[in-house]
Amino acid sequence: MKSEEIYDTWKERKSQIDLRENFADEVMNQIYQYERDKGRPLFDVQRLIELISAHRFVKAGVVTAGVVAGLARIMFVVYNFLAC
């Protein structure tokens, strides 16, 4: 029983935390300040996707580049296979 009383006393003492009156406001202001200071990333993938999807010729260019890259890979594999 004595150990339970000691534990309850300890628990009660630990639960009494003194916080400043504006603690939550200060923390939220620091979070907002961090978000503002973070700024835009150097390479914004979302903006690139929006740019590609907004223009028909850019979409065609991306598809063409993919086809050319695929054909180049196929030619490379065939060349290496026949060279062995």
Side-chain angles (χ1 to χ4, degrees):
M1 197 67 163
K2 180 145 174 79
S3 62
E4 200 171 306
E5 291 173 6
I6 293 172
Y7 174 71
D8 288 339
T9 304
W10 174 82
K11 191 167 64 169
E12 183 179 324
R13 200 173 33 190
K14 285 293 185 180
S15 67
Q16 296 173 352
I17 299 174
D18 295 328
L19 294 176
R20 294 184 303 273
E21 199 170 301
N22 297 329
F23 178 76
D25 293 333
E26 291 174 12
V27 170
M28 291 307 295
N29 286 336
Q30 288 180 359
I31 291 171
Y32 294 142
Q33 185 66 35
Y34 172 76
E35 290 294 325
R36 281 190 299 263
D37 292 344
K38 192 166 70 166
R40 295 184 67 89
L42 188 59
F43 182 71
D44 191 7
V45 176
Q46 183 67 30
R47 187 158 185 215
L48 179 65
I49 291 171
E50 289 175 3
L51 175 73
I52 291 171
S53 64
H55 302 287
R56 180 182 303 171
F57 293 116
V58 177
K59 287 181 198 176
V62 170
V63 170
T64 304
V67 168
V68 169
L71 290 175
R73 289 179 69 186
I74 290 172
M75 290 176 15
F76 178 74
V77 168
V78 169
Y79 175 77
N80 282 329
F81 182 72
L82 294 176
C84 291

